[in-house]
Amino acid sequence: MAISPVPAPQPQVTERRATVRDVPAMFRLINHWADQRQMLPKALHTLCNTVRDFWVAEESGEVVGCCGLRIYTEDLAEVCSLAVAPGKQGRGIGQSLVKCCHGEARAMGIRRVFALTYQVAFFERLGYRIVDMDSLPEKVWRDCVNCPFLDNCNETAMIRELGA
Ligand SMILES: CC(C)(COP(=O)(O)OP(=O)(O)OC[C@H]1O[C@@H](n2cnc3c(N)ncnc32)[C@H](O)[C@@H]1OP(=O)(O)O)[C@@H](O)C(=O)NCCC(=O)NCCS
C-alpha cells in the first residue's frame, strides 16, 4: 500500500493593526485585485491617510491580507478594502480579517457594518444580507457621488447587525 506524504504544516497567520510600514504591501495587494476588477483601487496617499483604519494578516513576516473599518456615524461603519494575497486565499484569512473589524466595531459601540462588494456569497457566510444602496445614504453622499463608476456601479450593498 502506498503511503501518502504528510503535508507540510502551513505557517501561522496572525492578524494585527496596520502600521505605515505595511502601506506599500497593502497598496500592492489592493491594486493587484483592482487591476482584475475585483475591487476599487486605492492611492498610496489615501492608504497613508487611513492606515489607522486597517488590519493586516501576516505570515512569516509578509503581509498576506488587509481590511479596513471605516466609521461613518456613531452607529454605522464600512468593512472596506478587503484583500487576500493571490495564492493565500481559501485559508480563512479574509474571514478572520472581517471578524477583526467586527470586534473593533463592537468595542466602539457600532451596531451595523456594511460592505459594497462583488463577493456576495463570502459576505453572506459572515452574516451579511443584501440591501438597497439607497438605504446607505451616508456612503452614497460621502464616496459614491465622487466615484467614476457612480452611474454603472456593479457592487452589491450588504449589511450586518452586530450582536452585543
Ligand atoms: C474574497 C476574499 C477576501 C476571500 O478571502 P479568503 O481568505 O479567500 O476567504 P476565506 O478563506 O476566509 O473564506 C471564508 C468562507 O467564505 C468562503 N468563500 C471565500 N471566497 C468565496 C467566494 N468568492 N464565494 C463564495 N464563498 C467564498 C470560503 O469557502 C469559506 O467558507 P467556509 O467558512 O464555509 O469554509 C479573497 O478571495 C480576495 O481577496 N479576493 C479578491 C479581492 C476581493 O474580492 N475582495 C473583496 C472586496 S469587498
Side-chain angles (χ1 to χ4, degrees), residues 23-92:
V23 166
M26 290 160 51
F27 177 77
R28 283 193 296 275
L29 260 184
I30 291 169
N31 290 296
H32 166 83
W33 290 119
D35 288 346
Q36 320 274 321
R37 300 186 181 274
Q38 297 296 308
M39 59 196 295
L40 295 179
K42 280 277 188 280
L44 200 55
H45 70 268
T46 306
L47 290 173
C48 288
N49 289 343
T50 59
V51 67
R52 281 176 289 200
D53 291 348
F54 275 85
W55 291 82
V56 291
E58 190 177 66
E59 183 185 72
S60 307
E62 182 196 351
V63 171
V64 292
C66 64
C67 187
L69 181 76
R70 191 161 183 227
I71 298 174
Y72 278 76
T73 70
E74 77 284 1
D75 189 40
L76 181 70
E78 179 182 15
V79 169
C80 62
S81 299
L82 170 64
V84 172
K88 306 289 180 183
Q89 296 166 278
R91 288 172 48 195

Side-chain angles (χ1 to χ4, degrees), residues 21-160:
R21 284 186 299 279
D22 300 316
V23 166
M26 290 160 51
F27 177 77
R28 283 193 296 275
L29 260 184
I30 291 169
N31 290 296
H32 166 83
W33 290 119
D35 288 346
Q36 320 274 321
R37 300 186 181 274
Q38 297 296 308
M39 59 196 295
L40 295 179
K42 280 277 188 280
L44 200 55
H45 70 268
T46 306
L47 290 173
C48 288
N49 289 343
T50 59
V51 67
R52 281 176 289 200
D53 291 348
F54 275 85
W55 291 82
V56 291
E58 190 177 66
E59 183 185 72
S60 307
E62 182 196 351
V63 171
V64 292
C66 64
C67 187
L69 181 76
R70 191 161 183 227
I71 298 174
Y72 278 76
T73 70
E74 77 284 1
D75 189 40
L76 181 70
E78 179 182 15
V79 169
C80 62
S81 299
L82 170 64
V84 172
K88 306 289 180 183
Q89 296 166 278
R91 288 172 48 195
I93 297 172
Q95 179 173 266
S96 298
L97 285 166
V98 173
K99 286 181 177 172
C100 287
C101 292
H102 290 174
E104 182 187 0
R106 274 195 197 92
M108 291 260 188
I110 291 167
R111 289 180 302 174
R112 295 181 302 145
V113 284
F114 73 91
L116 297 192
T117 186
Y118 303 121
Q119 301 292 346
V120 172
F122 170 80
F123 278 97
E124 276 175 347
R125 278 182 144 82
L126 284 163
Y128 287 70
R129 65 188 159 81
I130 296 173
V131 289
D132 198 298
M133 190 78 90
D134 294 343
S135 69
L136 296 169
E138 299 90 343
K139 173 70 181 175
V140 173
W141 289 109
R142 187 151 136 188
D143 291 327
C144 299
V145 286
N146 299 314
C147 178
F149 303 110
L150 174 63
D151 291 328
N152 55 352
C153 176
N154 293 325
E155 291 190 308
T156 300
M158 303 187 75
I159 201 159
R160 184 196 201 279

